[in-house]
Amino acid sequence: MCNTVNISLPCGRFELTAEIPKKNFKGFFSVSETAPLENLESEIKRSLACPIQSEPLTTLAKETKRALILVDDITRQTPAHIILPFVIEELQKGDIYKENISILFALGSHRPLKEDEMRRKVGEEIFDQFRCYNHDYKAPLSYIGRTNIGTPIYVNPLLKEHDLVIGIGSILPHRYCGWSGGGKIVQPGVCGKETIAATHLLVTKDPSICLGSESNTALDEIRYVARTAGLNFIVNTIYNGAGDVTDIVAGAPVPAHEEGIRKAKKVFGVAMPKSDILILSAYPEEANLWQAFKALYAAHLVIHQGGRIILVAQLEEGIGEHPDLIKLMTLGIDNLMKIIRKSQEEDMLCLAAAYAGAQVMEYASIDIVSNNLDESILSGTSIGIYTSLQDAVDNACSHLRDDDTIVALREGTIALPIVK
């Protein structure tokens, strides 16, 4: 009788496998296998024709002259290349000329997209026919006021140069506001570093801000900024673990987002037990540590205190856009809070991420499995690094007690664990 079970987790284009002690293994979990839409194009047309609490785009376009379309970047699987032709068609039916339509990639603090990435995201024909811009959160931006709690609002000046602003993105569980999508295409998508950092740092003040939260100060801030910046209309998709679109919502930013969240909870909610060892993949957001560490927030919900998290990630871009992330995480929560209160760090956004990461690091042990990570990045930390998933599992299991439990989670960066 076999005493082990085999698991397989995605890592880039490959699957990594490992054998797990059968008596301790309590299950392999994944986001819902919700069937993709049978005809995505028809559903896009339907959602645009009958938007949620909004006039159709054609009607909105007739009252304006220039339209700006905000599109998320390649860290999201939103099929913008399929959605954009239908959105642009509606705008042109509303008498907005091609030369008065622009596309802005809502990068937040992520790196600029390369030309081939832009072409993939929006499609060759649209890239060649319309002006496409990368947002730069460090560039001089337009100041348009403050939020109710005093956050200064700096946005890309293109928003004020266009009188119709449309956001195309996706709805996913998110650590810093509960759910992505909706107004997030503006904040942080096309805002300045001071604005972005202030909202992210709310996780140090409001404990209700967590994966899956539908009411918190960060979400309120994001919606306020988006409304002030002039976001008129959103098109948001919900996709499954394979990246296939399972649903789509369009309309007024807040009500359409709320309806999208209701749909997304059914896809991303994963009922699973607490565990002593959690093995999970950072798929599908695993290009760098900045993205892959999102999986730690899902892990935090299901790992027992003092347990071990084994994170599988491709990390072809290394640590990512914020090189001080690991160094700051190792300072610990108390020291990070002192720095945050004194604003002693230029990259305050990185401080927010370090704070959230340090919460996990102080709660459980972390190992990373990757072939693309420079070991020196993790020197001086308690984080283990492995190139073999089996080696990481064997090391973790060498400390197993008879009643310790092990679970695996396939899509760590988009899952919303719900503890049984």
Side-chain angles (χ1 to χ4, degrees):
M1 183 175 179
C2 184
N3 294 320
T4 62
V5 294
N6 291 317
I7 64 165
S8 176
L9 288 171
C11 183
R13 300 186 305 275
F14 305 100
E15 294 275 328
L16 302 187
T17 60
E19 291 185 345
I20 310 294
K22 189 173 184 178
K23 67 176 182 178
N24 304 96
F25 189 59
K26 299 304 177 184
F28 185 96
F29 299 90
S30 178
V31 302
S32 170
E33 295 182 0
T34 308
L37 294 171
E38 290 186 6
N39 191 321
L40 177 56
E41 290 81 359
S42 294
E43 285 300 309
I44 293 170
K45 288 181 180 179
R46 180 201 59 75
S47 65
L48 292 175
C50 303
I52 298 168
Q53 294 187 34
S54 171
E55 296 286 347
L57 264 182
T58 302
T59 304
L60 296 178
K62 289 183 181 296
E63 301 169 359
T64 59
K65 295 180 179 179
R66 302 189 70 193
L68 179 66
I69 306 172
L70 310 178
V71 177
D72 59 11
D73 69 7
I74 56 170
T75 66
R76 302 292 188 271
Q77 295 174 292
T78 311
H81 64 290
I82 299 175
I83 298 169
L84 274 166
F86 295 100
V87 170
I88 290 171
E89 181 183 8
E90 293 296 302
L91 296 177
Q92 292 179 324
K93 285 180 182 176
D95 298 327
I96 297 183
Y97 300 121
K98 180 191 296 185
E99 57 268 25
N100 290 330
I101 300 172
S102 298
I103 297 169
L104 176 61
F105 292 102
L107 306 177
S109 67
H110 300 172
R111 66 165 175 80
L113 298 191
K114 301 170 186 175
E115 181 176 320
D116 66 307
E117 293 170 332
M118 293 185 190
R119 288 182 178 275
R120 280 205 313 273
K121 189 68 181 182
V122 304
E124 294 280 351
E125 186 174 342
I126 286 177
F127 182 82
D128 288 333
Q129 292 186 18
F130 294 88
R131 291 184 298 274
C132 296
Y133 304 92
N134 274 319
H135 172 65
D136 181 356
Y137 78 113
K138 295 180 179 179
L141 301 175
S142 299
Y143 174 75
I144 59 171
R146 289 181 177 271
T147 68
N148 292 330
I149 63 173
T151 301
I153 308 173
Y154 292 93
V155 298
N156 193 295
L158 285 174
L159 273 75
K160 289 302 154 186
E161 295 173 15
H162 296 76
D163 41 14
L164 178 59
V165 180
I166 302 146
I168 297 176
S170 289
I171 300 174
L172 301 160
H174 201 280
R175 170 67 177 91
Y176 298 98
C177 60
W179 292 92
S180 69
K184 233 178 141 285
I185 199 74
V186 172
Q187 161 62 336
V190 293
C191 285
K193 62 180 182 179
E194 193 173 351
T195 311
I196 296 172
T199 302
H200 278 72
L201 283 167
L202 288 172
V203 298
T204 68
K205 303 174 182 178
D206 180 0
S208 72
I209 301 172
C210 60
L211 281 179
S213 169
E214 297 176 54
S215 178
N216 57 71
T217 53
L219 191 56
D220 292 342
E221 284 276 283
I222 286 167
R223 288 171 172 170
Y224 184 97
V225 171
R227 183 171 64 251
T228 305
L231 181 67
N232 306 99
F233 194 94
I234 63 167
V235 182
N236 278 183
T237 62
I238 296 102
Y239 49 76
N240 60 22
D244 298 318
V245 176
T246 66
D247 221 320
I248 186 166
V249 293
V254 173
H257 188 224
E258 290 175 337
E259 175 62 20
I261 289 172
R262 284 191 283 273
K263 296 173 181 290
K265 284 196 295 185
K266 298 176 183 178
V267 176
F268 298 115
V270 182
M272 56 191 298
K274 285 268 192 179
S275 64
D276 299 290
I277 297 176
L278 172 63
I279 309 165
L280 75 167
S281 171
Y283 173 85
E285 300 180 19
E286 55 177 333
N288 56 48
L289 272 182
W290 182 260
Q291 295 296 321
F293 269 8
K294 293 178 182 179
L296 296 182
Y297 310 141
H300 199 185
L301 297 178
V302 293
I303 194 76
H304 285 304
Q305 187 166 8
R308 182 171 295 272
I309 299 164
I310 300 175
L311 177 62
V312 175
Q314 185 181 31
L315 307 181
E316 61 182 4
E317 298 178 9
I319 194 168
E321 300 92 342
H322 301 268
D324 291 335
L325 175 62
I326 301 298
K327 180 185 74 175
L328 290 170
M329 281 177 61
T330 61
L331 295 178
I333 293 173
D334 292 341
N335 287 327
L336 285 170
M337 283 305 302
K338 291 176 183 177
I339 297 171
I340 290 168
R341 292 189 188 103
K342 295 179 180 178
S343 300
Q344 292 176 344
E345 181 76 23
E346 181 180 347
D347 192 348
M348 297 297 287
L349 173 58
C350 190
L351 270 177
Y355 175 88
Q359 286 182 310
V360 185
M361 185 183 287
E362 293 185 9
Y363 187 80
S365 300
I366 300 170
D367 292 330
I368 297 175
V369 179
S370 177
N371 284 313
N372 295 308
L373 192 60
D374 184 347
E375 291 188 24
S376 64
I377 291 174
L378 300 177
S379 63
T381 76
S382 61
I383 299 175
I385 182 167
Y386 295 85
T387 57
S388 161
L389 176 57
Q390 189 65 62
D391 287 348
V393 169
D394 289 345
N395 179 65
C397 290
S398 67
H399 306 288
L400 268 181
R401 296 166 298 190
D402 288 343
D403 59 349
D404 281 348
T405 58
I406 306 171
V407 300
L409 176 61
R410 182 174 174 81
E411 306 95 354
T413 50
I414 62 174
L416 174 62
I418 301 168
V419 176
K420 291 181 179 178

